[in-house]
Amino acid sequence: MHREQLADFLRRRREAIRPAEVGIADGPRRRTAGLRREEVAMLAGMSVDYVVRLEQGRSSQPSTQLLGALARALRLSDDERAHLFHLAGLRPPAADGVARFARAGLMRLLDLLGDNPAMVLSDLGEVLAQNRASVLLVGDHTGFSGDARYLAYRWFTDPGYGPHLLPDEREDHGRQLVADLRATAGRRSGDPVVTGLVERLRAASPDFRRLWAEHEVAVRRAGRKTFDHARVGRVVMDCETLMTPDLGQQLVVLTPADEGSRERLALLLVLGVEEFPAGSASAG
């Protein structure tokens, strides 16, 4: 572990970020270049004391999870993220064909979208990042591990997943998930990560086997979703999906489809996260 270099790198990356890039107001009395340490701690979900010790070269070796949180908070590029892991004396997460971190540019877009629910997904349907509005609407979907991190896997193997959808929407939603996965499987033909996921889904779910056998292919671009939210009632949202050039990640943006939905979403943003159960609604 290269403590002094790690400390210098973290300090310089913190100072290089403008507060507005991460949704923090840049007031006239602000004297700190870039972000404050407490702001990095808040964005990364860790203590201020630990951020201070990291920047002073006094910390123990950070975990992979902690480094990932710092990389997201500091909006590091792929190269910068790998450098961060090397400085900490750890190997960067294995390139298993699945992007495990949202790209820095997409993270900036999440911040800019403000009160519009938005999330970044991998091409296999893993939620890599969400803004606050998205968490309030669909719950936090970034903390899953193993196959459960994929939306399609949770949809077809967890009977309690996605209870917000109306009965006549469930079949269409499941079919959409399978068609999207089929498109990814075709694009990444022979990739063991993709073929393994498909085989495990086929073994676990008769519904998935039925839909997979129909061989429908469609990358999600746009649609409409109805969220029967426990706190504010029915919210109808238009969904737009923007793909990166290599189709490896996608930015999903939800906007209210009518005035009533706009008002209920605004109410939800005011109510905040108090007693809001994580993962209580479907993200995909």
Side-chain angles (χ1 to χ4, degrees), residues 200-274:
R200 291 189 295 276
L201 272 166
R202 292 179 65 189
S205 170
D207 283 340
F208 180 85
R209 286 197 301 273
R210 170 178 59 84
L211 292 172
W212 187 258
E214 296 183 13
H215 210 122
E216 294 184 3
V217 182
V219 177
R220 287 181 291 179
R221 303 292 186 188
R224 178 166 289 187
K225 298 181 185 298
T226 302
F227 298 88
D228 192 10
H229 199 281
R231 303 183 72 187
V232 297
R234 187 167 298 183
V235 184
V236 183
M237 305 291 286
D238 286 324
C239 175
E240 291 288 342
T241 302
L242 308 176
M243 311 293 294
T244 56
D246 64 356
L247 303 183
Q249 294 188 11
Q250 51 191 256
L251 175 68
V252 179
V253 182
L254 302 172
T255 55
D258 53 54
E259 187 58 33
S261 295
R262 188 182 308 279
E263 292 174 355
R264 285 185 282 275
L265 177 63
L267 174 60
L268 183 60
L269 293 172
V270 172
L271 291 174
V273 296
E274 183 181 358

Side-chain angles (χ1 to χ4, degrees), residues 41-266:
M42 175 191 69
L43 292 168
M46 61 186 65
S47 71
V48 178
D49 178 66
Y50 192 74
V51 173
V52 171
R53 285 187 284 124
L54 277 170
E55 289 197 0
Q56 293 178 347
R58 299 186 293 108
S59 71
S60 58
Q61 186 178 51
S63 67
T64 298
Q65 292 78 10
L66 190 148
L67 289 174
L70 279 171
R72 289 189 292 271
L74 295 172
R75 305 299 192 257
L76 300 187
S77 67
D78 292 343
D79 291 337
E80 289 170 335
R81 186 183 301 114
H83 185 62
L84 174 67
F85 275 81
H86 288 310
L87 291 179
L90 296 174
R91 185 184 299 274
D96 61 357
V98 180
R100 301 307 311 279
F101 297 97
R103 294 183 179 181
L106 296 182
M107 291 294 292
R108 293 188 184 100
L109 284 175
L110 280 185
D111 297 325
L112 292 173
L113 285 165
D115 291 344
N116 291 301
M119 64 196 80
V120 179
L121 283 75
S122 74
D123 60 350
L124 281 182
E126 178 182 4
V127 179
L128 304 175
Q130 296 174 259
N131 63 7
R132 175 179 178 270
S134 170
V135 172
L136 289 172
L137 182 63
V138 303
D140 188 347
H141 289 264
T142 60
F144 294 93
S145 59
D147 284 338
R149 68 182 189 261
Y150 304 119
L151 295 177
Y153 194 88
R154 296 206 300 280
W155 179 265
F156 286 101
T157 63
D158 182 356
Y161 179 62
H164 71 291
L165 284 180
L166 302 180
D168 59 351
E169 290 187 11
R170 293 189 64 86
E171 172 71 15
D172 287 344
H173 186 69
R175 186 175 296 276
Q176 184 182 66
L177 286 172
V178 175
D180 192 57
L181 181 56
R182 174 70 81 170
T184 300
R187 188 171 61 252
R188 292 169 53 176
S189 179
D191 188 326
V193 174
V194 184
T195 56
L197 174 61
V198 170
E199 289 307 309
R200 291 189 295 276
L201 272 166
R202 292 179 65 189
S205 170
D207 283 340
F208 180 85
R209 286 197 301 273
R210 170 178 59 84
L211 292 172
W212 187 258
E214 296 183 13
H215 210 122
E216 294 184 3
V217 182
V219 177
R220 287 181 291 179
R221 303 292 186 188
R224 178 166 289 187
K225 298 181 185 298
T226 302
F227 298 88
D228 192 10
H229 199 281
R231 303 183 72 187
V232 297
R234 187 167 298 183
V235 184
V236 183
M237 305 291 286
D238 286 324
C239 175
E240 291 288 342
T241 302
L242 308 176
M243 311 293 294
T244 56
D246 64 356
L247 303 183
Q249 294 188 11
Q250 51 191 256
L251 175 68
V252 179
V253 182
L254 302 172
T255 55
D258 53 54
E259 187 58 33
S261 295
R262 188 182 308 279
E263 292 174 355
R264 285 185 282 275
L265 177 63

